[in-house]
Amino acid sequence: MRRPSAVFIFALMSVLYLGAVIVASLHPGPRAWGIHLAGFLGLPGKVLVYGLLALGVLASATGLVRSKVPEPPATEPPPVEPPSLAVTPSVDAGGSDRAARRASAGVKLALMVLYAVALWVLRTRTHFLGDGMVWISGLREGKLPRPAEALSEAVWQVASAGLRHIAAPVESLALVSLALGIVAAVIYWQIAREITTERKEFIAAFALLMTLGINQLFFGYIESYPVSAVAILAYLWAGLRSAKRGGNLLLVLAFAIAVASHLIALYLVPSLLYLILRGEPSRLRRVGLIGLAVILPSAFLVLLGSGPDQWVHTLDLATRAARTGAAAAATVRPYGILSLSHLIDIANEALLVLPIPLLLLLTVALTGKRSVPGVNPERGFLVLAAGAGLVGLALLVLPVAAAQDWDLYSMLLLPAGVLGVRAGREVYGLGGKWIRAGVVSLSIGSFLAFVLVNASSASGESRYRTLVSPRAKITDFARWYAFESLAEYYRHRGDYSRAMEYVNRLLRTQPNNARYWGMGGEVLMGMGRYAEAIPLLEEGVRRNSRRATTRTNLGIAYTALGRRREALQQFREAVRIEGDRPDYRHNLGLAFYGVGEPDSARIVWLEVRRRWPEYRPTAIAMKAYFGSAGP
């Protein structure tokens, strides 16, 4: 029986994909979180997303009718150098050739500017997914200990310090991931050149790479993963170059940078060893490169403040889900590794971050691969990197909702995305312009659904509440984490009533957590209800007397009610617990002045001025109460 053509299989799968998206989006729930995105969009967004997906299905069906796809060769042809996209110099062309090159550069620059504008305009507004809120809070204060993500942390710390120096608002942190998105686009361009041989293939491959769901990380995402994604992409590009041209030194350096950005990049080791052992004729050179691949990442991590104890602790956390016996019983997780729920979450992750490359991979698998395994080092490299990532994904079960930690899981799927685009040449490369248009339109539609949901505060909130609703199969820890994120989000927006709703849920389910009592008091203070806030804050202090933030808020509440001596005691304790914050010492000075001890207030404020000369509230207070801002 004659095998169905790749174009037919892809066209059929695109119809099934569109149908699944429509069904999941009609009544979006927490289980189909990889394809329910359109259900949270307003009418214009729905029309745009469904229109692009339908156009992709229609173009694929048209390609099925109009294209005559030749059978793939019995063996994959040897890799060839992809043609340069630049205009080839001509002896006769002269000035016209230079003008063409300038025009080409101008078009590329214009496209890059438009992409940068899109990254900013469609940036994420809620930061619910991942640990975005934790990172924003830490970057505000310059405290963000992330031993597993040393290089990523360093990049964000340097950028945020610079932004704080020019008094830029917190929203400007999105510029960091935007800049990383531009770098990623350049790397995608190079990867597309490495995995294609014709211009028509290149354009489709580049468009597919640029519309991977993983690229949501560059739309204002404030987390370690934009840095890690760029580092892993750079490694994949270096690996593809090495597979074609030889030379593994750049590959080892890229691997070291990827591991330093996040320890999860260690899953790339098999693909690294494959190229080193295959491509180096000298045994001594192989040993040297392998040794360098061990030494360089370790050196980078140590220089960035991450030591062996921290590495062991991180790996311990990452491997807990794969344990058995008593260790498994002590691990907090929503389900086991060998469970249908875990398989569903893996499928959702793949459909969220690389839906069309996944369809292309399945298409190639269903039509039968004829090439001889291992002949092409480029394919072998990607298969090993993607395979190791899938194994890691299968073994990784975290206590928070999988949809919330999509960013971590996406790091494991990046090689699979590139592999799918490369393998998909059998579909969009041989299928004609209609198939290429269909593939790209489907990819843009699926990607826009993800971007538009996160670019809207209302859509992002609605989806997040759905992901952590009672119907979601997540741990109590994940639900508490979500309630806390929602409470903080609404508090910072000034919607104190909704914030208090989630604080009350936390207090009902976790009454022993001192932080939640303090959070409740802070929310009530924001509403001006100081008398009601004091019992909650006092309970927070009783349960944990070492929380300086709770004591500070309690002092502020006491002051608002005229209980100045009690307030002074709380401010003193806050400074004793955490004395390296100018705001705590400033409050202590105000408390001294309030109880009639101006000399003590002046001494405290002079110390603040000496240690933090740019802290304006103290300078203003000194000017108002003593006629001079001090030294």
Side-chain angles (χ1 to χ4, degrees), residues 26 137 162 187 247 253-254 265 308 339 348 398 408 412 418 422 431 482 537-538 540 555 589-590 617:
L26 284 175
S137 177
I187 298 174
L253 178 60
S339 66
N348 273 302
L398 299 174
L408 173 62
L412 297 166
V418 176
R422 181 187 181 277
L537 294 167
E538 289 177 337
L590 288 173

Side-chain angles (χ1 to χ4, degrees), residues 502-573:
Y502 286 100
V503 171
N504 285 331
R505 293 187 190 186
L506 289 168
L507 292 176
R508 284 196 301 269
T509 55
Q510 278 283 285
N512 295 324
N513 192 315
R515 187 172 71 256
Y516 297 157
W517 291 98
M519 183 186 299
E522 191 170 357
V523 171
L524 289 171
M525 287 170 58
M527 301 167 74
R529 294 158 59 177
Y530 295 99
E532 295 174 62
I534 286 175
L536 274 68
L537 294 167
E538 289 177 337
E539 182 65 15
V541 170
R542 187 184 71 80
R543 291 181 180 275
N544 185 353
S545 62
R546 297 288 303 171
R547 285 190 59 79
T549 301
T550 305
R551 286 191 176 276
T552 295
N553 287 328
L554 182 55
I556 294 171
Y558 282 152
T559 302
L561 296 181
R563 298 163 63 175
R564 299 186 183 279
R565 283 289 173 186
E566 293 170 276
L568 175 62
Q569 180 60 29
Q570 295 302 323
F571 290 133
R572 272 178 166 162
E573 284 298 307

Side-chain angles (χ1 to χ4, degrees), residues 149-503:
E149 310 157 11
L151 180 59
S152 298
E153 180 199 348
V155 169
W156 280 102
Q157 290 281 31
V158 169
S160 63
L163 292 171
R164 286 199 306 271
H165 184 71
I166 61 174
V170 69
E171 290 78 10
S172 60
L173 286 170
L175 293 169
V176 179
S177 61
L178 184 152
L180 291 166
I182 299 299
V183 176
V186 174
I187 298 174
Y188 281 139
W189 181 281
Q190 298 301 327
I191 289 176
R193 290 189 61 194
E194 295 294 337
I195 62 177
T196 59
T197 57
E198 299 180 13
R199 185 181 182 87
K200 61 183 181 181
E201 288 184 352
F202 168 84
I203 294 173
F206 180 64
L208 287 172
L209 291 170
M210 288 291 289
T211 51
L212 291 174
I214 293 167
N215 295 315
Q216 171 67 58
L217 294 170
F218 306 121
F219 283 77
Y221 213 79
I222 300 174
E223 252 262 36
S224 64
Y225 300 108
V227 180
S228 300
V230 168
I232 293 174
L233 285 172
Y235 168 82
L236 294 175
W237 172 50
L240 291 168
R241 284 179 56 87
S242 175
K244 283 187 174 182
R245 302 172 180 81
N248 291 307
L249 191 58
L250 178 62
L251 176 66
V252 171
L253 178 60
F255 171 77
I257 292 172
V259 172
S261 71
H262 201 297
L263 288 178
I264 200 171
L266 287 170
Y267 79 89
L268 299 169
V269 167
S271 60
L272 175 70
L273 292 176
Y274 168 75
L275 288 183
I276 290 177
L277 296 177
R278 184 187 183 282
E280 297 296 339
S282 167
R283 181 176 298 178
L284 181 62
R285 184 172 172 83
R286 291 179 186 175
V287 172
L289 286 171
I290 292 173
L292 194 61
V294 174
I295 294 170
L296 267 183
S298 304
F300 287 164
L301 287 167
V302 170
L303 288 173
L304 292 167
S306 178
D309 291 344
Q310 295 165 326
W311 311 341
V312 171
H313 175 67
T314 300
L315 294 175
D316 172 64
L317 292 175
T319 57
R320 282 183 182 178
R323 299 177 190 174
T324 58
T331 302
V332 178
R333 55 188 180 186
Y335 42 65
I337 290 176
L338 301 176
S339 66
L340 178 61
S341 294
H342 186 37
L343 183 61
I344 290 173
D345 276 339
I346 290 175
N348 273 302
E349 177 71 20
L351 288 168
L352 180 71
V353 301
L354 43 94
I356 308 310
L358 176 63
L359 297 188
L360 292 170
L361 277 173
L362 291 174
T363 298
V364 172
L366 290 173
T367 52
K369 187 71 174 174
R370 292 186 173 186
S371 57
V372 179
V375 168
N376 191 305
E378 176 189 342
R379 188 187 66 240
F381 166 74
L382 287 177
V383 166
L384 277 173
L390 289 173
V391 170
L393 185 61
L395 295 176
L396 190 60
V397 180
L398 299 174
V400 296
Q404 182 168 343
D405 254 350
W406 78 275
D407 45 10
L408 173 62
Y409 292 126
S410 71
M411 297 299 99
L412 297 166
L413 285 177
L414 251 178
V418 176
L419 176 64
V421 174
R422 181 187 181 277
R425 292 179 305 169
E426 289 194 16
V427 181
Y428 64 78
L430 299 173
K433 63 182 180 181
W434 286 103
I435 293 297
R436 286 192 292 277
V439 168
V440 171
S441 182
L442 284 164
S443 190
I444 294 174
S446 62
F447 179 55
L448 269 182
F450 196 17
V451 170
L452 292 176
V453 165
N454 290 315
S456 164
S457 296
S459 297
E461 291 172 38
S462 179
R463 180 170 184 255
Y464 188 62
R465 289 195 300 269
T466 298
L467 294 175
V468 298
S469 68
R471 291 184 295 157
K473 193 169 184 178
I474 58 177
T475 62
D476 289 339
F477 172 83
R479 196 161 276 112
W480 298 331
Y481 184 94
F483 290 166
E484 185 173 352
S485 296
L486 286 163
E488 286 293 324
Y489 173 75
Y490 288 122
R491 184 176 69 84
H492 283 298
R493 290 186 61 185
D495 191 346
Y496 296 110
S497 296
R498 298 202 70 174
M500 200 63 204
E501 173 190 338
Y502 286 100
V503 171

